[in-house]
Amino acid sequence: MTFETWLAFFVACWVISLSPGAGAIASMSCGLQYGFWRGYWNAIGLQIALALQIAVVAAGVGAVLATSSLAFSVIKWFGVAYLLWLALKQWRALPEMLDDSSAPRPIGRPLALVLRGFLVNASNPKAIVFILAVLPQFLDPQRDLVLQYLHMGATMVVVDLIVMAGYTGLAVKVLRLLRTPRQQRLVNRSFAAMFAGAAALLATVQRAVT
């Protein structure tokens, strides 16, 4: 892969990562609930799933998943159910009274937050199809394909980590403006609605007919 090709891919990664999706919603939700450093574990889970999806595409399995109606449907409806579960959980989240002394945030287990992020990304079959459609366009068949996939995978993960840090930090900034249970309840239910909306969008995704 030439530097010019990598640079074009690098720009594409920013455009892709900045586009709001379930991962961004999950990152903001975790930032709101747990603060930046604890909530950022969710982003680690997102990247583990992303790396796995890239590896699946690189191994050629992605083509099978993209063309298998059963596999596509199973992953899709699992993703819909999981996003709806997150929506319900967010809707039921209890508000906490905050003051200028910064009351401690609820403690989320790092592994649980990593798993949460992993499931959000891994349960989106559209990601496999998207990676399968985009990455090969930047490959040079005359060069080592494994090395190129490693370079592209690392680039996507690093860019997404930066973007998700921004989304998580944005939610923390919003948190500082919340002072009453009513305001917090409104924000929690707004995130619940976004999770439900992401589930609805995922439910409409159809496997590309070949």
Side-chain angles (χ1 to χ4, degrees):
M1 176 184 292
T2 65
F3 176 75
E4 291 76 13
T5 301
W6 175 85
L7 189 60
F9 179 72
F10 179 68
V11 173
C13 286
W14 280 98
V15 174
I16 295 165
S17 292
L18 287 168
S19 302
I25 296 170
S27 293
M28 289 189 290
S29 172
C30 286
L32 180 70
Q33 289 182 282
Y34 307 109
F36 181 81
W37 294 110
R38 182 70 63 167
Y40 196 58
W41 284 102
N42 170 82
I44 303 300
L46 292 172
Q47 304 322 308
I48 293 174
L50 177 60
L52 177 62
Q53 289 167 333
I54 294 171
V56 164
V57 169
V61 181
V64 176
L65 292 177
T67 56
S68 170
S69 179
L70 177 60
F72 189 92
S73 295
V74 168
I75 296 173
K76 182 180 81 170
W77 291 111
F78 173 79
V80 170
Y82 185 66
L83 288 172
L84 288 175
W85 180 80
L86 289 178
L88 179 61
K89 185 177 179 182
Q90 193 75 46
W91 185 274
R92 291 179 171 177
L94 297 176
E96 298 180 9
M97 185 61 100
L98 298 177
D99 54 31
D100 293 334
S101 61
S102 297
R105 303 301 303 156
I107 298 176
R109 294 180 180 178
L111 286 179
L113 293 174
V114 169
L115 179 61
R116 170 175 171 161
F118 176 84
L119 289 175
V120 167
N121 254 4
S123 60
N124 185 0
K126 190 176 180 180
I128 288 284
V129 177
F130 181 81
I131 293 172
L132 186 63
V134 172
L135 264 62
Q137 298 182 38
F138 295 91
L139 289 174
D140 182 348
Q142 304 303 320
R143 298 173 183 262
D144 188 329
L145 294 181
V146 173
L147 189 60
Q148 291 182 80
Y149 270 116
L150 287 174
H151 286 164
M152 289 192 291
T155 301
M156 288 188 74
V157 166
V158 170
V159 169
D160 208 51
L161 279 172
I162 296 172
V163 171
M164 292 308 131
Y167 278 123
T168 305
L170 177 64
V172 174
K173 293 293 185 181
V174 171
L175 173 65
R176 293 176 181 172
L177 302 177
L178 305 179
R179 289 292 180 269
T180 68
R182 181 177 180 277
Q183 290 173 321
Q184 294 179 52
R185 189 179 296 110
L186 179 62
V187 172
N188 283 336
R189 292 184 174 179
S190 295
F191 275 110
M194 286 190 282
F195 275 123
L201 286 175
L202 182 58
T204 66
V205 172
Q206 300 295 324
R207 180 177 63 87
V209 179
T210 57

